[in-house]
Amino acid sequence: MPKTEHFQWYVEEFAPTEFHHHAIDELYYAGRTAFQSVAVLRTPTFGKMLVLDGDTQSSQHDEKIYHESLVHPALAAVRDRGEILILGGGEGATLREVLRYPGVRRCTMVDIDGEVVDLCKRYLPEWSDGAFEDPRARLIVGDALAFLKEDRGTYGAVISDLTEPLADSPSFPLFNGEVFRDIRARLAPGGVYVLQASTAGFHNMALHAKMARSLRAHFTHVASFFTHVPAFDNDWAFIACSDAVDVAALDGRAIDAYVDELRGENYFYDAQTHRRIFSLPLYLRRELAKPGDAFV
Ligand code: SAM
C-alpha cells in the first residue's frame, strides 16, 4: 500500500469540523451539469463512487446496503407491485432493485439530470446492471416536481431517491406539504411512499427528524429506519409512509415470501435485517418524538 502522501484525496465535508478523506485511485470524470457538480472516481476501499455537489451518493462495494434498504421493505409491504415510481435515482440501482421483482409491470424513473444518468451508464454500469434496457423500465429525464403535477398514474410504491433537500439542491422543492399531498394522491390503495431521509447519526439527525415530523402531518404510518452505510461514514436513514400499512410491523413470513420471489440473491435485506433496521435506539426515538420545525 503506498503511503498517504502518494495519494490525492476526495474530502467529503459533513460539517465544518467533520471530514472523511477517501484516497483516489482514479478520477474518471469531474465537471458540472446544469443542475449540480459531478465526480466519478475510484477509491481503494469502496471501489467506484458517484459524488454530487461534494456528497457521496453511493459506492460500488456497499451500494446494495443502501439500495436494498430503500426498495425492499416498501415493496415487501405494498399490496400491488405492478406500477412503481422512482423520483431521482440517477445511478439506476434503485431501478435495478425494483425490477428484480418479476410482478413489476412498469417502473417509471424521473431524474432531472440526464447528464448524471448518462455518466452513470458509462462509468458505473454495475449499478444499473442492464435495468435501463429492461422493457419494463420507463426513464423520464425531467423535474420530478413537474412530473408529479402533471401525472395522473397511480403507483403501488413511490420511491424517493433524491439528493438531500439542502437549500441549493434541485431536490429541495420536493420537500413541502404540497408535494407530499401530490405523492399521496399518486399512491394506489395499500401503497407506500418511501424516501432516503438523510443521516441518523447521534450527532446529526436534525434533518431526518424534520422530514419525519413533516410527513407525520400527511400519512397515518410514518416509520423511520436506518442502517450504517460505510461509504457514507454514517448511519443512513429512510422513512416509509403509508395510510394503509405500517411497514415497520411487517410480518417476517410476508418478508420471506416476498424475498423468495425476487430474481437473484439479496446481499443485505431479509426478515432479520428488517427487524434490525426498524428497531430504533432510544436517542433517535426521543429525537423523533420532539416537537420542532417542519417542511410546510
Ligand atoms: N443516494 C443518494 C444520496 O445519498 O443522496 C441519492 C441518489 S441519486 C444519484 C439522486 C438523484 O436525484 C440525482 O441523480 C439527481 O439528479 C436527482 N434529482 C435531484 N433533484 C431532482 C428533481 N427535482 N427531480 C428529479 N430528480 C432529481
Side-chain angles (χ1 to χ4, degrees):
M1 178 68 113
K3 289 204 163 78
T4 311
E5 63 265 29
H6 296 134
F7 286 110
Q8 292 196 304
W9 299 87
Y10 152 47
V11 181
E12 180 164 13
E13 179 182 331
F14 303 129
T17 52
E18 293 295 329
F19 298 85
H20 185 129
H21 289 59
H22 296 271
I24 298 175
D25 268 341
E26 193 172 352
L27 179 64
Y28 300 100
Y29 180 89
R32 262 209 81 80
T33 70
F35 302 99
Q36 49 213 338
S37 79
V38 188
V40 185
L41 47 88
R42 183 163 50 81
T43 73
T45 307
F46 295 109
K48 292 190 278 183
M49 280 182 161
L50 174 68
V51 181
L52 296 181
D53 286 338
D55 291 333
T56 304
Q57 302 294 303
S58 57
S59 94
Q60 187 171 14
H61 294 166
D62 69 1
E63 58 87 6
K64 287 189 177 171
I65 298 178
Y66 171 91
H67 289 107
E68 288 185 18
S69 298
L70 177 62
V71 171
H72 295 306
L75 249 59
V78 301
R79 222 176 279 159
D80 183 353
R81 304 176 187 123
E83 288 275 347
I84 308 293
L85 174 63
I86 299 169
L87 311 176
E91 302 100 316
T94 301
L95 184 66
R96 175 198 75 209
E97 288 302 322
V98 169
L99 293 175
R100 286 181 56 215
Y101 187 76
V104 170
R105 287 188 303 280
R106 187 169 67 159
C107 182
T108 303
M109 167 177 158
V110 186
D111 197 294
I112 200 168
D113 201 334
E115 271 186 77
V116 164
V117 174
D118 287 344
L119 287 165
C120 293
K121 285 182 182 169
R122 177 164 177 194
Y123 293 112
L124 311 173
E126 301 87 349
W127 271 248
S128 51
D129 196 22
F132 289 115
E133 286 73 49
D134 189 308
R136 298 171 296 158
R138 176 169 72 135
L139 171 65
I140 296 175
V141 174
D143 191 344
L145 187 67
F147 178 86
L148 287 167
K149 286 273 165 258
E150 288 154 20
D151 181 60
R152 289 292 162 264
T154 52
Y155 304 89
V158 176
I159 302 172
S160 169
D161 189 16
L162 295 163
T163 41
E164 283 184 86
L166 306 173
D168 51 354
S169 162
S171 63
F172 187 74
L174 280 137
F175 288 83
N176 57 65
E178 194 180 329
V179 176
F180 300 148
R181 279 190 290 277
D182 287 344
I183 289 172
R184 191 165 171 261
R186 302 271 65 78
L187 287 178
V192 171
Y193 169 43
V194 67
L195 59 155
Q196 80 95 344
S198 195
T199 59
F202 75 91
H203 57 304
N204 192 18
M205 58 184 108
L207 178 56
H208 174 74
K210 181 174 173 179
M211 289 165 139
R213 265 196 306 274
S214 316
L215 288 158
R216 285 201 293 266
H218 297 275
F219 293 92
T220 310
H221 303 283
V222 174
S224 290
F225 57 109
F226 78 95
T227 183
H228 189 73
V229 178
F232 295 173
D233 197 2
N234 219 323
D235 292 338
W236 207 259
F238 307 83
I239 305 176
C241 313
S242 179
D243 289 331
V245 51
D246 180 3
V247 178
L250 206 59
D251 176 65
R253 277 163 309 189
I255 296 170
D256 288 340
Y258 163 78
V259 171
D260 281 348
E261 285 188 77
L262 293 172
R263 292 206 181 101
E265 276 202 342
N266 278 6
Y267 173 75
F268 178 69
Y269 180 73
D270 68 357
Q272 192 172 330
T273 303
H274 184 98
R275 284 196 297 280
R276 207 201 84 193
I277 62 183
F278 281 91
S279 178
L280 304 182
L282 180 57
Y283 63 79
L284 182 54
R285 280 180 277 140
R286 279 194 180 130
E287 189 70 24
L288 289 168
K290 278 186 196 160
D293 62 336
F295 291 101
V296 284

